[in-house]
Structure formats: C-alpha cells, structure tokens
C-alpha cells in the first residue's frame, strides 16, 4: 500500500503489545495457560459477564454456543442474512438450518417483528448480531425470546465497547460470542471469546474447546501429582494461546481510549457529511451507543454513482473503502437455500459502503475521504 493511501482500518498495536507477546514467549508457556485465564477474567469483567471462555475465533465461539444450547439436526436457528457468512455457517456446523430474517433499516439488526415473521415450530434459537458495532435492541429481543421460550445467542463479534440500555453489550446476555480479528477494535491477531453467566455452561465450554478433556494442561501442570485426564465427549481444538492473550490484555487496557477516539472520528464524519446529498450515515440507535467498529454510509436510491462504481472511484483517489455488510443469502454457499423476502437486507447490502476509520486517522485523511464522496455526489 502506498504511503499516501488511506486504509480502511489499522489495528492500534505498538511496543506494549510487542513486549507482552515477547514476555509470553520468553516465559516458556506459549500455549493456553495463565495469560489466557487472566484475559478471560478481565474480558468477562469488562462486559459484565460471570464467565469468559477464550477460543480460537468468533466462529468457533458461535459454534460452541450452539453446541451448549443443544442445537442440532432438524432444528432451525433464526439469523440475519445481513452479516458475515460465519454467522449462518455456525448454524450449519451443528447440522441445523439457518433461517434468514430481515433487519431494521436504521441499525441493520434483527428486531422482534423480523424474527417473528420467520420463526416456526422447528425454531430452536435466535442468533442476533450487533452489526458493525451498532447494538441491537437486546432488551426487547430478550423479552420476545422469553415469550417464545427461545434462547437468544448474541454475535457480538464487532461490539466490544458498545452499549445497550446503558450497559455494555454482553451484560445480561444468555451467551455471547466475540471476535479479536485484526479488523475488530480489540485484536489478538486471531481469537475469540464466549461469555455467559451460567457456570455449568462455562465448565462444559472450556472442556469442549480442548477435545472434551476433563483436565486442562494448566491444571495438570499445577498439580503436584500425576493427573490422568479423561475425554468426556467429542470436543474440538479451539484453544487460544498465551501469546494472543498477552496481546489481548494490553488491548483491553486501551479500550476506553479507542472508543473515545472512534466516536470522535465518527462525529466528525457526521458533521462533514451533512453537506453531502444522497448519503445516510450510520448513527447511534436510541437504545444504545456504537463503538463504530465500522462507519458505513447508505447511498440514496438516486445517488449519481452506484456503490461498486463509487468504491472504484475512491480506490483511484487512494481511499480504501469496502462494500457494506454482506447478505449471506446471496452468496453461492447459500444458493437455493429457502428464504422469505429480505428487501431491507438486500437494499443495505447493495447500496452501503464502509469508510476508513482507525485510531491514528488524521483530519486531513478524513477530509480527503469526504472530498472524494462530495465530488461524486455533485455528478
């Protein structure tokens, strides 16, 4: 990437993370160990959950969440199509069928009405996504799911630092899955987390991530006597390393500063884009605040340039924007998959794009992005 090209995202990583990773390597304990346990405690405390279970990705976190709920063949899980494809794929991993629901046009998230439109007697769970960091209205969704006697899984991949109803996203969640991919606000390179208040689920999830083993490597190492482990059920290799967790602990300590900066940049985008006709920026919903993990804009139907052409023009101007949130039901992997009409999903996916936003972004870089958009709006 050329020096003057504006990337869509740069992780905020530096000497502290490098030292933490180095210390983990030099400690001799690089697999899942004490730093993972410390990261789990710190992360759970941050989101207001009783337990954190570190895993290898948000996708594996979603998979284990559905396993814990007993979702399997013959079941259906209501999911938004407007999400990275891992959301729907995790349902297929357990042999169940994803049922695509439409979303709220302002937030891109499921609502009780959109879920109710597609749930059936086979529905075993609802999987809501806090899309791009915009918090879903989980309080109304939790109440609706309680009325339907359905568990609500929260895909909070993008939402660390976001809030709903004055509480952190994840607070009060039955079970939530998180991502530490480099595009996320807190990153460990790769990695994920499950959070829950249920102690029995937490115990089983820790076992499942480690081949179904009843004694972890850390527990065996800490014992003064030989520990002969047993494998209680078929499990998975979904562990996080201590090197990743060491980086995560540093990142978590930066979270407040990250959120303040991202919200400052989002507010400045809002102000600059007010004078650009035909663009509808993402905003905080009435029920919460976003971490602005992604800052996207929706093009009016009569915007002079189509979304894909606009991305090409921005690229020529040295701006690395991205298409908006994908619609999973339009991908080849779900060709022929039965579904209801999803007009809002298709509109948002077709006509939205994600603008650059990262901690070290300068005002001059933001001005360049907006100038390129303004020029196309005048065509």
């Amino acid at each position: 990437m050329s020096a003057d090209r504006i990337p869509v995202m740069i992780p905020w990583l530096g000497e502290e993370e490098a030292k933490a990773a180095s210390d983990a390597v030099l400690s001799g304990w690089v697999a899942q160990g004490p730093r993972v346990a410390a990261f789990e405690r710190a992360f759970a405390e941050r989101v207001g959950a009783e337990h954190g279970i570190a895993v290898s990705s948000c996708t594996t976190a979603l998979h284990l969440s559905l396993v814990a709920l007993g979702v399997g063949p013959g079941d259906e899980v209501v999911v938004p199509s407007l999400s990275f494809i891992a959301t729907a794929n995790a349902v297929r991993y357990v042999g169940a069928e994803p049922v695509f629901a439409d979303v709220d046009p302002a937030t891109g998230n499921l609502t009780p009405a959109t879920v109710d439109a597609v749930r059936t007697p086979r529905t075993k769970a609802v999987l809501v996504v806090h899309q791009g960091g915009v918090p879903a209205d989980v309080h109304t969704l939790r109440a609706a799911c309680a009325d339907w006697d359905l568990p609500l899984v929260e895909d909070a991949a993008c939402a660390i630092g976001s809030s709903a109803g004055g509480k952190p996203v994840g607070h009060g969640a039955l079970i939530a899955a998180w991502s530490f991919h480099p595009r996320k606000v807190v990153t460990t390179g790769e990695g994920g987390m499950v959070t829950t208040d249920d102690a029995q689920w937490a115990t089983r999830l820790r076992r499942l991530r480690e081949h179904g083993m009843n004694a972890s490597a850390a527990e065996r190492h800490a014992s003064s006597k030989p520990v002969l482990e047993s494998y209680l059920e078929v499990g998975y290799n979904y562990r996080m390393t201590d090197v990743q967790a060491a980086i995560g602990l540093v990142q978590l300590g930066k979270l407040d500063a990250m959120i303040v900066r991202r919200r400052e940049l989002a507010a400045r985008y809002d102000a600059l884009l007010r004078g650009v006709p035909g663009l509808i920026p993402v905003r905080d919903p009435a029920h919460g605040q976003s971490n602005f993990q992604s800052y996207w804009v929706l093009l009016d139907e009569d915007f002079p340039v189509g979304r894909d052409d606009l991305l090409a023009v921005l690229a020529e101007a040295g701006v690395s924007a991205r298409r908006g949130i994908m619609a999973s039901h339009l991908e080849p992997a779900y060709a022929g998959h039965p579904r209801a009409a999803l007009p809002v999903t298709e509109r948002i996916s077709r006509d939205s794009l994600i603008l650059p936003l990262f901690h070290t972004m300068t005002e001059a870089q933001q001005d360049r992005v907006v100038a390129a958009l303004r020029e196309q709006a005048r065509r």
Side-chain angles (χ1 to χ4, degrees):
M1 182 177 292
S2 64
D4 62 346
R5 189 166 190 81
I6 303 172
V8 70
M9 169 63 173
I10 304 174
W12 187 23
L13 296 167
E15 289 298 324
E16 286 182 90
E17 287 86 355
K19 184 178 186 307
S22 174
D23 288 347
V25 170
L26 294 174
S27 75
W29 193 299
V30 295
Q32 179 182 285
R35 289 171 178 81
V36 168
F39 185 40
E40 290 173 332
R41 290 190 297 270
F43 190 90
E45 182 179 357
R46 176 66 201 224
V47 304
E50 291 294 323
H51 305 280
I53 303 93
V55 290
S56 54
S57 69
C58 186
T59 306
T60 58
L62 288 169
H63 180 198
L64 290 187
S65 297
L66 295 172
V67 170
L69 289 172
V71 179
D75 295 331
E76 294 177 347
V77 178
V78 176
V79 302
S81 172
L82 192 76
S83 181
F84 184 59
I85 202 166
T87 304
N89 285 351
V91 178
R92 282 187 159 176
Y93 292 170
V94 295
E97 286 299 317
V99 174
F100 294 121
D102 216 351
V103 293
D104 175 71
T107 65
N109 291 325
L110 295 183
T111 69
T114 65
V115 172
D116 197 29
V118 298
R119 69 184 180 93
T120 75
R122 291 174 57 198
T123 304
K124 186 67 178 283
V126 177
L127 206 174
V128 64
V129 179
H130 299 278
Q131 196 50 258
V134 177
D137 188 355
V138 288
H139 295 89
T140 59
L141 274 167
R142 289 172 187 169
C145 285
D147 289 342
W148 301 325
D149 196 25
L150 291 173
L152 181 67
V153 180
E154 297 186 30
D155 181 339
C158 302
I160 181 62
S162 298
S163 64
K167 300 288 186 180
V169 165
H171 183 277
L174 180 71
I175 195 163
W178 308 81
S179 174
F180 306 125
H181 181 271
R183 283 280 305 273
K184 304 304 187 285
V185 176
V186 168
T187 183
T188 60
E190 278 287 0
M193 187 81 69
V194 183
T195 55
T196 182
D197 291 341
D198 190 300
Q200 289 185 325
W201 282 358
T203 297
R204 187 174 180 222
L205 289 164
R206 290 194 176 94
R207 187 169 68 230
L208 283 169
R209 72 176 169 188
E210 201 163 4
H211 299 288
M213 188 165 50
N214 68 339
S216 70
E219 289 168 338
R220 298 197 309 273
H221 182 77
S223 176
S224 60
K225 298 178 181 179
V227 176
L228 301 178
E229 73 277 8
S230 295
Y231 297 84
L232 305 183
E233 60 182 313
V234 175
Y236 310 90
N237 184 3
Y238 286 173
R239 291 168 291 198
M240 176 182 280
T241 70
D242 258 27
V243 177
Q244 291 169 295
I247 294 170
L249 282 164
V250 176
Q251 286 274 287
L252 204 55
K254 292 180 172 181
L255 179 58
D256 287 337
M258 292 181 191
I259 300 303
V260 168
R261 179 60 178 153
R262 297 184 81 84
R263 289 186 60 80
E264 286 175 352
L265 290 165
R268 190 167 189 272
Y269 262 139
D270 287 347
L272 292 171
L273 291 173
R274 262 185 224 117
V276 182
L279 296 179
I280 306 166
V282 62
R283 291 199 169 92
D284 284 330
H287 57 262
Q289 287 191 331
S290 175
N291 62 5
F292 288 103
Q293 187 253 298
S294 295
Y295 186 95
W296 76 79
V297 294
L298 183 67
L299 306 182
D300 272 347
E301 302 267 9
D302 59 353
F303 195 79
V305 182
R307 192 275 310 279
D308 292 352
D309 289 339
L310 182 56
L311 286 173
V313 169
L314 290 172
E316 289 176 8
V319 176
S320 296
R322 294 288 185 272
R323 70 169 181 170
I325 312 303
M326 67 188 294
S328 298
H329 75 278
L330 298 180
E331 294 300 316
Y334 286 91
H337 188 76
R339 60 176 176 81
L342 302 168
V344 178
T345 294
E346 292 180 3
R347 160 93 165 98
I348 294 175
S349 185
R350 182 187 67 238
D351 295 331
S352 63
L353 66 157
I354 295 170
L355 301 182
L357 194 151
F358 46 92
H359 187 80
T360 55
M361 191 176 198
T362 65
E363 290 189 359
Q365 287 174 318
Q366 267 197 310
D367 290 344
R368 277 180 56 198
V369 174
V370 174
L373 291 170
R374 184 176 287 115
E375 182 178 349
Q376 295 308 305
R378 285 198 292 255
R379 284 182 56 175

